Structures are given as structure tokens and as C-alpha cells.
Amino acid sequence: MSKRIPLAGVIGNPVGHSKSPRMHAHWLASQDLPGHYIPMEVEAEDLADVLAALPRMGFAGTNVTIPHKEAALAGAVRATPRARAIGAANTLTFLPGGGYEADNTDGYGFFANLQQRAGDWRASDGPVAVFGAGGAARAILHAMLEAGAPEIRLMNRTRARAETLAAAFGPRVKVLDWGDTGPALDGAATVVNTTSLGMAGQPAFDLDLGGLRPGMIATDIVYIPLETPFLQAASRRGARIVDGLGMLLWQGVPGFNRWFGGDAQVTPELRELMLAP
Ligand code: ATR
């Protein structure tokens, strides 16, 4: 029997907008590896059947995105500690004995992006101010706390969601009111927007960022536009800024390496490719 060409993809709904296929195709081509990575639009009620069938078709693994991240974790025979802590999965690897292992690489992607683009940055540099308490914030809190952030100041429009995260992640997470940016930014080393505010087509990020100072690092998970109003405001106040595109790129690295046996690199060329229409 001939050796199968490894397959992988991304399951979401909708999924047509995903740029992950472009990224994996680039990595496959640039490393001269055999393989294909495809987008798959799947209804929630079909997810389990699809995940059972994919390995029989030669899939080594798959990414999952909205709205399947929690269900994908629930259906796993094995999960990494970070996927369990985050409560959602984005990277599934099929196991030889059946079923799949669930991982979550979103926090890793966030962290690796900051390390690449702000080389001397450390999570332990000082308090981290975080806007938003959704799924992305969960992944980022986990990565920041693992990497030694001394304190997380968490603000969310719906305060109860921030309280839930604080209860899950422990006493280093302090909840502040949405809009309480004075105390949140006072002495902070890192400031993160994890909300959808400022994304093309979404409302603007309009909280007072007067507390931003030179020496702080501001980063956004929104990358359309690349330089969001939040990052522009931070830049005007002398803070160093790191855009969110790299988080998308880096979160794909562990899956690519696992499924295709490659060594994926996040390069300026890949950034350009992903920014093209
Ligand atoms: P994700 O998984 O990308 O984090 P999410 O779970 O839907 O997506 O979370 C979106 C985040 O953006 C939440 O923190 C949300 O605040 P709420 O918990 O109050 O909904 C935040 N967000 C979205 N629209 C917002 C708005 N108009 N004003 C303030 N926060 C907003």
C-alpha cells in the first residue's frame, strides 16, 4: 500500500473566511512536504461523526474553531493540561488507537507572538491589564499566569464573566469595573485587548487609555485592521505595540509540526501572505 498523504484542516461554522488553509499551504510548500489542509464547514450536531470519520480518510488532525471549541474538548479521549485549563480546544490530533487528543494553542500563539515581536518582554515584567473575558481572554490568562505574570487586572463589560475567570484562575486575577482604566493601567507592564472592539465592522474601543506610558507593551488580538485604534492610542502615548496577526500565525505552528512533521516558521513573508486580500 502506498503511504498516505497526510491531511489536516479547520472545522468551523462559518469557516470560509479562515486564513488557516493559506498558512498551512505556505508551510507545506516552503518545506517541500506532502500534505493538504482544507476548510470544513460542519454543523454542531455533525461534529462527533465528522471527527470519527476524518482519521479513516487519512487525516492526521484538525483545527477547530467557533462554534466547536468546547464540544471538541468534551469529545476528546485525552486533553493537554492547557486545553483543560482553558476549557476549549483548537488543535486535535487523531490517536492510533482511536479518538483524538485535544490541545489549545491560542495562549501559546499569543505568548509566542509577544516574544517574537518584543524580544525582551517577559510576562513577569509587571501587572498585566486585560480587556475582555471571553474565550480568547481565557487562553491568554492561562498563558500569562503560566509564564509568571504577577497580577492580572481583568475588566469586562459583563463583570460576571470576569468574576468567573478570576474564580477559575485564582488570586493573581483581580477584577476591576469596565472603564476603570486608571487603576488598571497604573504601573502595568503589559496591556491587552481581547475584545472584538476596534475590529472592522465592530464598535470602536473607546475607553480612556490616558494611563498608558512609554515602557509599557500594548497588544491586541484584533488584526483587521492590523493597527487598531487601541494600538494607535497606545502608540501615541509612547507604549510599544504588538499587533495581533502573529497570534493567528503562531497558534497554527504546533498542529502543523505534529500533523505534517514539519518545522513551521513565522516569517515576514508569511505575514505578508496572510495580509493579502
Ligand atoms: P472570544 O472567544 O473571541 O473572546 P467572546 O467569548 O464572544 O469571543 O468574547 C468577546 C469579548 O468581547 C467579551 O469580553 C465581550 O464582552 P461581554 O462579555 O460583556 O460580552 C467583549 N465585547 C464584545 N462587544 C463588546 C462591546 N460592544 N463592548 C464591550 N465589550 C465587548
Side-chain angles (χ1 to χ4, degrees), residues 113-122 125 188-192 212-220 227 230-243:
N113 181 42
L114 268 181
Q115 285 198 310
Q116 184 183 43
R117 312 230 8 125
D120 54 348
W121 172 86
R122 298 285 175 273
D125 286 345
T190 316
V191 185
V192 188
L212 278 164
R213 299 273 177 273
M216 295 181 180
I217 289 214
T219 185
D220 203 328
E227 196 161 298
F230 169 78
L231 292 179
Q232 285 171 352
S235 187
R236 276 197 302 276
R237 297 181 185 283
R240 272 204 290 171
I241 61 169
V242 174
D243 68 63

mmCIF file of all heavy atoms in Angstrom, residues 113-122 125 188-192 212-220 227 230-243:
data_model
loop_
_atom_site.group_PDB
_atom_site.id
_atom_site.type_symbol
_atom_site.label_atom_id
_atom_site.label_comp_id
_atom_site.label_asym_id
_atom_site.label_seq_id
_atom_site.Cartn_x
_atom_site.Cartn_y
_atom_site.Cartn_z
ATOM 1 N N ASN A 113 3.901 35.197 19.978
ATOM 2 C CA ASN A 113 3.877 36.429 19.184
ATOM 3 C C ASN A 113 4.534 37.580 19.951
ATOM 4 O O ASN A 113 5.368 38.310 19.406
ATOM 5 C CB ASN A 113 2.427 36.779 18.823
ATOM 6 C CG ASN A 113 2.318 38.038 17.986
ATOM 7 O OD1 ASN A 113 3.110 38.254 17.064
ATOM 8 N ND2 ASN A 113 1.332 38.877 18.289
ATOM 9 N N LEU A 114 4.176 37.723 21.224
ATOM 10 C CA LEU A 114 4.783 38.793 22.029
ATOM 11 C C LEU A 114 6.290 38.580 22.143
ATOM 12 O O LEU A 114 7.068 39.529 22.033
ATOM 13 C CB LEU A 114 4.171 38.806 23.432
ATOM 14 C CG LEU A 114 2.963 39.703 23.641
ATOM 15 C CD1 LEU A 114 2.491 39.620 25.086
ATOM 16 C CD2 LEU A 114 3.300 41.154 23.319
ATOM 17 N N GLN A 115 6.688 37.346 22.322
ATOM 18 C CA GLN A 115 8.122 37.078 22.458
ATOM 19 C C GLN A 115 8.867 37.376 21.169
ATOM 20 O O GLN A 115 9.969 37.899 21.180
ATOM 21 C CB GLN A 115 8.332 35.628 22.857
ATOM 22 C CG GLN A 115 8.000 35.403 24.318
ATOM 23 C CD GLN A 115 8.603 34.127 24.823
ATOM 24 O OE1 GLN A 115 8.449 33.090 24.201
ATOM 25 N NE2 GLN A 115 9.291 34.201 25.939
ATOM 26 N N GLN A 116 8.230 37.058 20.030
ATOM 27 C CA GLN A 116 8.908 37.305 18.756
ATOM 28 C C GLN A 116 9.006 38.796 18.457
ATOM 29 O O GLN A 116 10.014 39.265 17.961
ATOM 30 C CB GLN A 116 8.164 36.594 17.613
ATOM 31 C CG GLN A 116 8.899 36.742 16.277
ATOM 32 C CD GLN A 116 8.154 36.115 15.111
ATOM 33 O OE1 GLN A 116 6.933 36.251 14.975
ATOM 34 N NE2 GLN A 116 8.884 35.405 14.264
ATOM 35 N N ARG A 117 7.930 39.533 18.741
ATOM 36 C CA ARG A 117 7.857 40.922 18.289
ATOM 37 C C ARG A 117 8.344 41.919 19.332
ATOM 38 O O ARG A 117 8.531 43.083 19.014
ATOM 39 C CB ARG A 117 6.431 41.255 17.844
ATOM 40 C CG ARG A 117 5.927 40.178 16.921
ATOM 41 C CD ARG A 117 5.320 40.495 15.627
ATOM 42 N NE ARG A 117 5.294 41.772 15.062
ATOM 43 C CZ ARG A 117 5.773 42.042 13.847
ATOM 44 N NH1 ARG A 117 6.362 41.112 13.142
ATOM 45 N NH2 ARG A 117 5.628 43.235 13.353
ATOM 46 N N ALA A 118 8.478 41.476 20.570
ATOM 47 C CA ALA A 118 9.007 42.355 21.617
ATOM 48 C C ALA A 118 9.981 41.509 22.427
ATOM 49 O O ALA A 118 9.677 41.057 23.518
ATOM 50 C CB ALA A 118 7.881 42.893 22.490
ATOM 51 N N GLY A 119 11.139 41.288 21.845
ATOM 52 C CA GLY A 119 12.092 40.269 22.293
ATOM 53 C C GLY A 119 12.411 40.269 23.774
ATOM 54 O O GLY A 119 12.563 39.211 24.375
ATOM 55 N N ASP A 120 12.508 41.447 24.386
ATOM 56 C CA ASP A 120 12.919 41.468 25.791
ATOM 57 C C ASP A 120 11.726 41.440 26.741
ATOM 58 O O ASP A 120 11.876 41.521 27.954
ATOM 59 C CB ASP A 120 13.774 42.709 26.070
ATOM 60 C CG ASP A 120 13.069 43.996 25.638
ATOM 61 O OD1 ASP A 120 12.031 43.906 24.933
ATOM 62 O OD2 ASP A 120 13.532 45.088 26.002
ATOM 63 N N TRP A 121 10.531 41.307 26.206
ATOM 64 C CA TRP A 121 9.323 41.277 27.043
ATOM 65 C C TRP A 121 9.244 39.985 27.857
ATOM 66 O O TRP A 121 9.581 38.907 27.361
ATOM 67 C CB TRP A 121 8.072 41.402 26.156
ATOM 68 C CG TRP A 121 6.805 41.196 26.931
ATOM 69 C CD1 TRP A 121 6.101 42.122 27.631
ATOM 70 C CD2 TRP A 121 6.092 39.960 27.073
ATOM 71 N NE1 TRP A 121 5.001 41.545 28.210
ATOM 72 C CE2 TRP A 121 4.979 40.211 27.887
ATOM 73 C CE3 TRP A 121 6.296 38.649 26.603
ATOM 74 C CZ2 TRP A 121 4.058 39.228 28.237
ATOM 75 C CZ3 TRP A 121 5.385 37.664 26.957
ATOM 76 C CH2 TRP A 121 4.279 37.957 27.768
ATOM 77 N N ARG A 122 8.834 40.105 29.114
ATOM 78 C CA ARG A 122 8.574 38.933 29.955
ATOM 79 C C ARG A 122 7.217 39.116 30.625
ATOM 80 O O ARG A 122 6.874 40.228 31.030
ATOM 81 C CB ARG A 122 9.636 38.784 31.060
ATOM 82 C CG ARG A 122 11.064 38.576 30.551
ATOM 83 C CD ARG A 122 11.299 37.166 30.015
ATOM 84 N NE ARG A 122 12.618 37.012 29.439
ATOM 85 C CZ ARG A 122 12.938 37.287 28.162
ATOM 86 N NH1 ARG A 122 12.023 37.761 27.341
ATOM 87 N NH2 ARG A 122 14.159 37.112 27.718
ATOM 88 N N ASP A 125 7.311 40.887 33.913
ATOM 89 C CA ASP A 125 7.757 42.279 33.990
ATOM 90 C C ASP A 125 6.902 43.126 34.932
ATOM 91 O O ASP A 125 7.366 44.144 35.437
ATOM 92 C CB ASP A 125 7.742 42.933 32.600
ATOM 93 C CG ASP A 125 8.891 42.442 31.726
ATOM 94 O OD1 ASP A 125 9.836 41.839 32.261
ATOM 95 O OD2 ASP A 125 8.830 42.637 30.488
ATOM 96 N N ALA A 188 1.156 49.133 35.193
ATOM 97 C CA ALA A 188 1.078 47.891 34.407
ATOM 98 C C ALA A 188 2.262 47.795 33.444
ATOM 99 O O ALA A 188 2.793 48.810 32.994
ATOM 100 C CB ALA A 188 -0.233 47.855 33.610
ATOM 101 N N ALA A 189 2.691 46.576 33.175
ATOM 102 C CA ALA A 189 3.775 46.369 32.206
ATOM 103 C C ALA A 189 3.219 46.016 30.837
ATOM 104 O O ALA A 189 3.809 46.340 29.811
ATOM 105 C CB ALA A 189 4.699 45.253 32.690
ATOM 106 N N THR A 190 2.060 45.329 30.840
ATOM 107 C CA THR A 190 1.508 44.794 29.599
ATOM 108 C C THR A 190 0.011 45.084 29.579
ATOM 109 O O THR A 190 -0.651 44.914 30.610
ATOM 110 C CB THR A 190 1.736 43.258 29.541
ATOM 111 O OG1 THR A 190 3.073 42.961 29.951
ATOM 112 C CG2 THR A 190 1.483 42.701 28.154
ATOM 113 N N VAL A 191 -0.495 45.517 28.437
ATOM 114 C CA VAL A 191 -1.916 45.857 28.314
ATOM 115 C C VAL A 191 -2.470 45.139 27.084
ATOM 116 O O VAL A 191 -1.896 45.242 25.995
ATOM 117 C CB VAL A 191 -2.104 47.382 28.179
ATOM 118 C CG1 VAL A 191 -3.580 47.751 28.165
ATOM 119 C CG2 VAL A 191 -1.381 48.118 29.307
ATOM 120 N N VAL A 192 -3.562 44.399 27.285
ATOM 121 C CA VAL A 192 -4.041 43.508 26.222
ATOM 122 C C VAL A 192 -5.518 43.751 25.937
ATOM 123 O O VAL A 192 -6.341 43.711 26.860
ATOM 124 C CB VAL A 192 -3.890 42.017 26.648
ATOM 125 C CG1 VAL A 192 -4.203 41.108 25.474
ATOM 126 C CG2 VAL A 192 -2.505 41.729 27.204
ATOM 127 N N LEU A 212 -1.663 54.904 29.768
ATOM 128 C CA LEU A 212 -0.585 54.208 29.050
ATOM 129 C C LEU A 212 0.670 55.072 29.046
ATOM 130 O O LEU A 212 0.588 56.284 28.877
ATOM 131 C CB LEU A 212 -1.023 53.902 27.617
ATOM 132 C CG LEU A 212 -1.880 52.655 27.461
ATOM 133 C CD1 LEU A 212 -2.579 52.646 26.107
ATOM 134 C CD2 LEU A 212 -1.030 51.393 27.614
ATOM 135 N N ARG A 213 1.809 54.431 29.212
ATOM 136 C CA ARG A 213 3.076 55.139 29.343
ATOM 137 C C ARG A 213 4.145 54.488 28.470
ATOM 138 O O ARG A 213 4.063 53.298 28.190
ATOM 139 C CB ARG A 213 3.578 55.043 30.792
ATOM 140 C CG ARG A 213 2.681 55.651 31.837
ATOM 141 C CD ARG A 213 2.976 57.140 32.011
ATOM 142 N NE ARG A 213 2.046 57.741 32.970
ATOM 143 C CZ ARG A 213 0.856 58.229 32.644
ATOM 144 N NH1 ARG A 213 0.438 58.191 31.401
ATOM 145 N NH2 ARG A 213 0.069 58.773 33.552
ATOM 146 N N PRO A 214 5.194 55.254 28.131
ATOM 147 C CA PRO A 214 6.362 54.629 27.492
ATOM 148 C C PRO A 214 6.892 53.519 28.414
ATOM 149 O O PRO A 214 6.821 53.639 29.632
ATOM 150 C CB PRO A 214 7.370 55.776 27.398
ATOM 151 C CG PRO A 214 6.549 57.023 27.394
ATOM 152 C CD PRO A 214 5.363 56.718 28.262
ATOM 153 N N GLY A 215 7.370 52.464 27.808
ATOM 154 C CA GLY A 215 7.857 51.343 28.615
ATOM 155 C C GLY A 215 6.830 50.228 28.735
ATOM 156 O O GLY A 215 7.169 49.086 29.010
ATOM 157 N N MET A 216 5.535 50.579 28.557
ATOM 158 C CA MET A 216 4.504 49.531 28.580
ATOM 159 C C MET A 216 4.415 48.886 27.194
ATOM 160 O O MET A 216 4.760 49.513 26.190
ATOM 161 C CB MET A 216 3.135 50.127 28.920
ATOM 162 C CG MET A 216 3.035 50.700 30.315
ATOM 163 S SD MET A 216 1.347 51.332 30.575
ATOM 164 C CE MET A 216 1.481 51.950 32.248
ATOM 165 N N ILE A 217 3.924 47.660 27.188
ATOM 166 C CA ILE A 217 3.655 46.996 25.912
ATOM 167 C C ILE A 217 2.150 46.840 25.760
ATOM 168 O O ILE A 217 1.478 46.364 26.689
ATOM 169 C CB ILE A 217 4.348 45.627 25.868
ATOM 170 C CG1 ILE A 217 5.853 45.854 25.756
ATOM 171 C CG2 ILE A 217 3.816 44.785 24.711
ATOM 172 C CD1 ILE A 217 6.611 44.871 24.970
ATOM 173 N N ALA A 218 1.610 47.262 24.624
ATOM 174 C CA ALA A 218 0.186 47.093 24.357
ATOM 175 C C ALA A 218 0.019 46.147 23.182
ATOM 176 O O ALA A 218 0.714 46.262 22.166
ATOM 177 C CB ALA A 218 -0.447 48.451 24.032
ATOM 178 N N THR A 219 -0.905 45.201 23.322
ATOM 179 C CA THR A 219 -1.131 44.250 22.240
ATOM 180 C C THR A 219 -2.618 43.952 22.114
ATOM 181 O O THR A 219 -3.366 44.045 23.084
ATOM 182 C CB THR A 219 -0.293 42.961 22.446
ATOM 183 O OG1 THR A 219 -0.446 42.105 21.321
ATOM 184 C CG2 THR A 219 -0.697 42.225 23.716
ATOM 185 N N ASP A 220 -3.023 43.647 20.897
ATOM 186 C CA ASP A 220 -4.438 43.474 20.568
ATOM 187 C C ASP A 220 -4.579 42.120 19.893
ATOM 188 O O ASP A 220 -3.697 41.719 19.132
ATOM 189 C CB ASP A 220 -4.838 44.595 19.579
ATOM 190 C CG ASP A 220 -6.321 44.872 19.584
ATOM 191 O OD1 ASP A 220 -7.105 43.936 19.808
ATOM 192 O OD2 ASP A 220 -6.692 46.039 19.351
ATOM 193 N N GLU A 227 -3.334 47.734 12.575
ATOM 194 C CA GLU A 227 -3.095 48.695 13.648
ATOM 195 C C GLU A 227 -4.429 49.237 14.108
ATOM 196 O O GLU A 227 -5.006 50.141 13.498
ATOM 197 C CB GLU A 227 -2.152 49.805 13.189
ATOM 198 C CG GLU A 227 -1.599 50.557 14.383
ATOM 199 C CD GLU A 227 -0.333 51.337 14.050
ATOM 200 O OE1 GLU A 227 0.666 50.700 13.672
ATOM 201 O OE2 GLU A 227 -0.371 52.564 14.158
ATOM 202 N N PHE A 230 -7.052 50.940 19.295
ATOM 203 C CA PHE A 230 -6.436 50.673 20.607
ATOM 204 C C PHE A 230 -4.913 50.767 20.509
ATOM 205 O O PHE A 230 -4.247 51.420 21.322
ATOM 206 C CB PHE A 230 -6.878 49.279 21.074
ATOM 207 C CG PHE A 230 -6.139 48.746 22.270
ATOM 208 C CD1 PHE A 230 -6.433 49.184 23.554
ATOM 209 C CD2 PHE A 230 -5.148 47.779 22.109
ATOM 210 C CE1 PHE A 230 -5.748 48.681 24.653
ATOM 211 C CE2 PHE A 230 -4.467 47.270 23.198
ATOM 212 C CZ PHE A 230 -4.762 47.728 24.474
ATOM 213 N N LEU A 231 -4.338 50.140 19.487
ATOM 214 C CA LEU A 231 -2.877 50.173 19.314
ATOM 215 C C LEU A 231 -2.403 51.571 18.924
ATOM 216 O O LEU A 231 -1.335 52.019 19.371
ATOM 217 C CB LEU A 231 -2.436 49.144 18.264
ATOM 218 C CG LEU A 231 -2.612 47.674 18.675
ATOM 219 C CD1 LEU A 231 -2.175 46.747 17.543
ATOM 220 C CD2 LEU A 231 -1.831 47.349 19.950
ATOM 221 N N GLN A 232 -3.208 52.257 18.126
ATOM 222 C CA GLN A 232 -2.827 53.628 17.751
ATOM 223 C C GLN A 232 -2.783 54.526 18.977
ATOM 224 O O GLN A 232 -1.848 55.310 19.150
ATOM 225 C CB GLN A 232 -3.813 54.188 16.726
ATOM 226 C CG GLN A 232 -3.601 53.603 15.335
ATOM 227 C CD GLN A 232 -4.716 53.992 14.369
ATOM 228 O OE1 GLN A 232 -5.723 54.569 14.761
ATOM 229 N NE2 GLN A 232 -4.524 53.656 13.102
ATOM 230 N N ALA A 233 -3.791 54.382 19.848
ATOM 231 C CA ALA A 233 -3.832 55.202 21.065
ATOM 232 C C ALA A 233 -2.617 54.888 21.938
ATOM 233 O O ALA A 233 -1.991 55.782 22.509
ATOM 234 C CB ALA A 233 -5.125 54.947 21.834
ATOM 235 N N ALA A 234 -2.268 53.613 22.019
ATOM 236 C CA ALA A 234 -1.119 53.200 22.830
ATOM 237 C C ALA A 234 0.171 53.765 22.261
ATOM 238 O O ALA A 234 1.040 54.259 22.987
ATOM 239 C CB ALA A 234 -1.055 51.674 22.897
ATOM 240 N N SER A 235 0.275 53.713 20.944
ATOM 241 C CA SER A 235 1.473 54.201 20.271
ATOM 242 C C SER A 235 1.633 55.709 20.492
ATOM 243 O O SER A 235 2.732 56.200 20.771
ATOM 244 C CB SER A 235 1.333 53.865 18.785
ATOM 245 O OG SER A 235 2.486 54.153 18.105
ATOM 246 N N ARG A 236 0.527 56.439 20.405
ATOM 247 C CA ARG A 236 0.568 57.894 20.624
ATOM 248 C C ARG A 236 1.089 58.235 22.019
ATOM 249 O O ARG A 236 1.690 59.270 22.235
ATOM 250 C CB ARG A 236 -0.832 58.496 20.456
ATOM 251 C CG ARG A 236 -1.204 58.796 19.011
ATOM 252 C CD ARG A 236 -2.392 59.764 18.939
ATOM 253 N NE ARG A 236 -3.587 59.279 19.608
ATOM 254 C CZ ARG A 236 -4.471 58.458 19.039
ATOM 255 N NH1 ARG A 236 -4.319 58.059 17.804
ATOM 256 N NH2 ARG A 236 -5.534 58.055 19.709
ATOM 257 N N ARG A 237 0.840 57.346 22.961
ATOM 258 C CA ARG A 237 1.274 57.604 24.339
ATOM 259 C C ARG A 237 2.642 57.014 24.631
ATOM 260 O O ARG A 237 3.065 56.923 25.772
ATOM 261 C CB ARG A 237 0.238 57.063 25.320
ATOM 262 C CG ARG A 237 -1.075 57.787 25.144
ATOM 263 C CD ARG A 237 -2.147 57.344 26.080
ATOM 264 N NE ARG A 237 -3.389 58.007 25.746
ATOM 265 C CZ ARG A 237 -3.679 59.269 26.049
ATOM 266 N NH1 ARG A 237 -2.804 59.996 26.715
ATOM 267 N NH2 ARG A 237 -4.825 59.801 25.694
ATOM 268 N N GLY A 238 3.299 56.547 23.594
ATOM 269 C CA GLY A 238 4.687 56.114 23.750
ATOM 270 C C GLY A 238 4.857 54.649 24.108
ATOM 271 O O GLY A 238 5.986 54.187 24.304
ATOM 272 N N ALA A 239 3.748 53.909 24.230
ATOM 273 C CA ALA A 239 3.874 52.479 24.547
ATOM 274 C C ALA A 239 4.352 51.729 23.304
ATOM 275 O O ALA A 239 4.137 52.176 22.177
ATOM 276 C CB ALA A 239 2.530 51.928 25.017
ATOM 277 N N ARG A 240 5.014 50.605 23.530
ATOM 278 C CA ARG A 240 5.393 49.742 22.404
ATOM 279 C C ARG A 240 4.181 48.919 22.028
ATOM 280 O O ARG A 240 3.439 48.448 22.895
ATOM 281 C CB ARG A 240 6.512 48.794 22.830
ATOM 282 C CG ARG A 240 7.888 49.381 22.625
ATOM 283 C CD ARG A 240 8.908 48.284 22.489
ATOM 284 N NE ARG A 240 9.113 47.583 23.740
ATOM 285 C CZ ARG A 240 9.822 46.470 23.850
ATOM 286 N NH1 ARG A 240 10.337 45.902 22.781
ATOM 287 N NH2 ARG A 240 9.992 45.899 25.024
ATOM 288 N N ILE A 241 3.961 48.696 20.733
ATOM 289 C CA ILE A 241 2.769 47.953 20.333
ATOM 290 C C ILE A 241 3.134 46.691 19.554
ATOM 291 O O ILE A 241 4.120 46.640 18.831
ATOM 292 C CB ILE A 241 1.794 48.833 19.507
ATOM 293 C CG1 ILE A 241 2.446 49.325 18.215
ATOM 294 C CG2 ILE A 241 1.299 50.009 20.329
ATOM 295 C CD1 ILE A 241 1.439 49.973 17.258
ATOM 296 N N VAL A 242 2.306 45.667 19.771
ATOM 297 C CA VAL A 242 2.454 44.396 19.061
ATOM 298 C C VAL A 242 1.083 44.034 18.501
ATOM 299 O O VAL A 242 0.115 43.890 19.256
ATOM 300 C CB VAL A 242 2.954 43.280 20.011
ATOM 301 C CG1 VAL A 242 2.961 41.936 19.305
ATOM 302 C CG2 VAL A 242 4.350 43.616 20.541
ATOM 303 N N ASP A 243 0.995 43.906 17.165
ATOM 304 C CA ASP A 243 -0.313 43.616 16.575
ATOM 305 C C ASP A 243 -0.677 42.137 16.726
ATOM 306 O O ASP A 243 0.147 41.311 17.113
ATOM 307 C CB ASP A 243 -0.359 44.059 15.104
ATOM 308 C CG ASP A 243 0.553 43.230 14.224
ATOM 309 O OD1 ASP A 243 0.311 42.013 14.107
ATOM 310 O OD2 ASP A 243 1.515 43.783 13.654
#
